[in-house]
Amino acid sequence: MAHFDTILDARSPAEFAEDHIPGAINTPALDDEERRIVGTLYKQQGAFEARRVGGAMVAANLARHLRELWAHQPHSWRPLVYCWRGGLRSGSMVQWLRLVGWDAQQLAGGYKRYRQHVIEQIDTLAPTLQLRVLCGPTGSAKTRLLHALAASGAQIIDLEALAAHRGSVLGSLPGVDQPSQKQFETRLASVLSGLDVRQPVWIEAESRKIGRIALPNAIINHLRTSPCVRIDAPLDARLDLLLRDYASLGDDPQALADKLATLHGLQANDTLERWRAWALDRDLAPLFQELMTLHYDPLYARSQPGYLKGWAQAQTITVERLDEAGLKAAAGALHPLAL
C-alpha cells in the first residue's frame, strides 16, 4: 500500500466508522441510506433491479467526488480503492478513475481480506514479542510508568489507550467512546507491526476484557506467561493519584453511583449504600480509599497469582512517589534490566 498516493474506502460511512484501513479516506459509492435501499431491492426484487437503481446512485456519487474530492489531483495520482469484498462498488470507482486517466487499482478481496490480514498479524506477531508485564494494585500508576518507559526509549503496548478505556468498572473515559472490536484490533495490529521483536516490549497486566473490548487470545495468552514486574506503592500515594486521574467522576454523581451499583453481589449492601452516598455527595476521597482496600486490593491479591504465570518470580520495584520524577526514576531503573 506504500506504493499508492491515497487509499480510498468506497464503503458506506457506517462501514467506514466501524473500521477501516489506517489512513484511508471515505469516498462512498453508496451512502448508508442508499446501501439500505439497494440491499432491500436485492432481497425483494432481485439483482437486476438492485443494480439498475444502485448504478444510478453510484454514478451520481462518483460524479460528485470527481467534482469535489478529486478535482485537484494531478495526472500522476495513483489511488488504491477497496470496498467490502473488492466487488462492484470499488470496481465501479476504479473504472471511472481510470477513464479519467489516473492509475487507480482495486484491492483484491477488499476490506474482508484486509481484516483477515489484521487477525493473521496479531496471531503471528504477538507470540514472538519479548513481553515484560507491569502489574500492581489499582492506583499504582502502571499506565503512567508505561509512558515513562516509552519516554526512556523502551518499546511499549498501551492496550488501554488502544481500547480508550482504563480497564475497571470506573474506567470509561469522559466524552470518549470505545472503538469497535474490529477497530481496536486494527490499531493493535498496526502497533505490533512496528515493534522490534529482538527487543523487550513493556505492557500492562490486563484481564481478558478492557471495557467492552475483548483482547485477542494471542495477546492475553502470551501476556499471562511472560515475566512480570510488580509495582509497590504506598496507599496514600495511590489514593492521591486516583483522585487526580478520576476527578471527572465527581462531575456526574448519579452516573458514578450507577457504576458502583454494578458491584452488587460483590460487596455487602450496606457498603454499597455508603459508597452510593459518598458518590452522590461528590466525596471521592473516602470512596476511593474504600474501593481500594475493600474491593480492588483483595481482588488483585486473589486473582494475580493464578492469572500471571510469572507472578511468583516477579521482580518488585518500590515507587514511593507516583509523580513525574518518581516514575521517571522507576523507568530508569527498569529499562536497563530489559535490555
Side-chain angles (χ1 to χ4, degrees):
M1 297 184 190
H3 302 296
F4 296 93
D5 299 312
T6 312
I7 302 174
L8 301 178
D9 187 323
R11 299 175 304 154
S12 70
E15 292 173 288
F16 182 83
E18 182 183 21
D19 185 41
H20 53 268
I21 296 175
I25 299 170
N26 190 208
T27 53
L30 296 170
D31 66 25
D32 295 326
E33 179 61 16
E34 290 167 342
R35 181 168 174 259
R36 186 195 65 79
I37 291 170
V38 171
T40 301
L41 285 172
Y42 184 87
K43 292 177 182 178
Q44 295 179 351
Q45 300 185 40
F48 174 79
E49 187 64 14
R51 290 178 178 176
R52 183 188 69 78
V53 174
M57 294 175 175
V58 169
N61 289 329
L62 293 180
R64 186 178 70 257
H65 296 334
L66 281 166
R67 289 193 308 269
E68 299 173 2
L69 297 179
W70 305 329
H72 67 288
Q73 297 294 351
H75 182 261
S76 60
W77 184 47
R78 194 162 187 261
L80 176 67
V81 186
Y82 71 92
C83 59
W84 171 243
R85 287 184 295 190
L88 291 175
R89 288 182 289 178
S90 58
S92 299
M93 189 171 290
V94 165
Q95 187 174 12
W96 275 56
L97 290 167
R98 286 178 176 172
L99 285 172
V100 171
W102 289 306
D103 182 16
Q105 300 294 324
Q106 186 178 21
L107 179 63
Y111 170 79
K112 185 176 182 181
R113 178 65 192 97
Y114 176 76
R115 172 70 181 158
Q116 293 170 350
H117 172 67
V118 166
I119 300 303
E120 290 166 3
Q121 273 196 308
I122 294 173
D123 289 345
T124 301
L125 293 175
T128 69
L129 300 176
Q130 299 182 48
L131 293 184
R132 302 291 185 269
V133 184
L134 288 176
C135 48
T138 296
S140 56
K142 296 183 291 295
T143 301
R144 289 181 180 233
L145 181 53
L146 200 66
H147 294 168
L149 282 162
S152 75
Q155 297 186 117
I156 72 165
I157 301 173
D158 189 345
L159 294 172
E160 293 184 0
L162 297 176
H165 197 280
R166 288 179 288 210
S168 69
V169 68
L170 304 179
S172 57
L173 301 179
V176 179
D177 292 331
Q178 286 196 265
S180 69
Q181 182 70 34
K182 292 179 179 178
Q183 192 173 54
F184 168 80
E185 290 167 359
T186 293
R187 294 176 180 179
L188 177 60
S190 180
V191 170
L192 296 185
S193 65
L195 296 172
D196 183 350
V197 298
R198 298 168 298 179
Q199 300 294 332
V201 179
W202 291 87
I203 192 169
E204 185 177 340
E206 300 287 355
S207 59
R208 287 195 171 271
K209 295 195 73 175
I210 302 178
R212 58 178 174 78
I213 296 296
L215 296 184
N217 286 335
I219 278 286
I220 202 68
N221 292 340
H222 192 39
L223 183 156
R224 291 186 62 191
T225 58
S226 296
C228 302
V229 173
R230 283 186 270 178
I231 305 170
D232 182 25
L235 181 64
D236 58 347
R238 292 165 52 206
L239 177 58
D240 181 65
L241 181 75
L242 290 176
L243 288 171
R244 285 184 278 127
D245 281 359
Y246 290 82
S248 61
L249 291 176
D251 297 338
D252 191 340
Q254 186 59 57
L256 175 56
D258 292 343
K259 289 180 179 179
L260 293 170
T262 63
L263 299 176
H264 180 73
L266 300 175
Q267 295 291 329
N269 290 339
D270 59 342
T271 300
L272 290 177
E273 188 55 40
R274 182 169 64 253
W275 292 355
R276 172 182 169 80
W278 280 334
L280 294 176
D281 288 342
R282 295 185 170 90
D283 199 358
L284 299 186
L287 171 59
F288 287 178
Q289 181 161 344
E290 284 205 3
L291 275 170
M292 282 194 296
T293 58
L294 299 184
H295 180 67
Y296 286 114
D297 285 4
L299 179 63
Y300 172 80
R302 290 194 305 269
S303 63
Q304 296 298 284
Y307 184 68
L308 298 171
K309 305 304 181 185
W311 177 264
Q313 295 79 36
Q315 173 196 353
T316 298
I317 182 168
T318 300
V319 186
E320 295 291 342
R321 296 166 50 200
L322 299 177
D323 57 11
E324 183 178 353
L327 293 171
K328 182 177 181 180
L334 287 174
H335 186 33
L337 297 175
L339 298 178

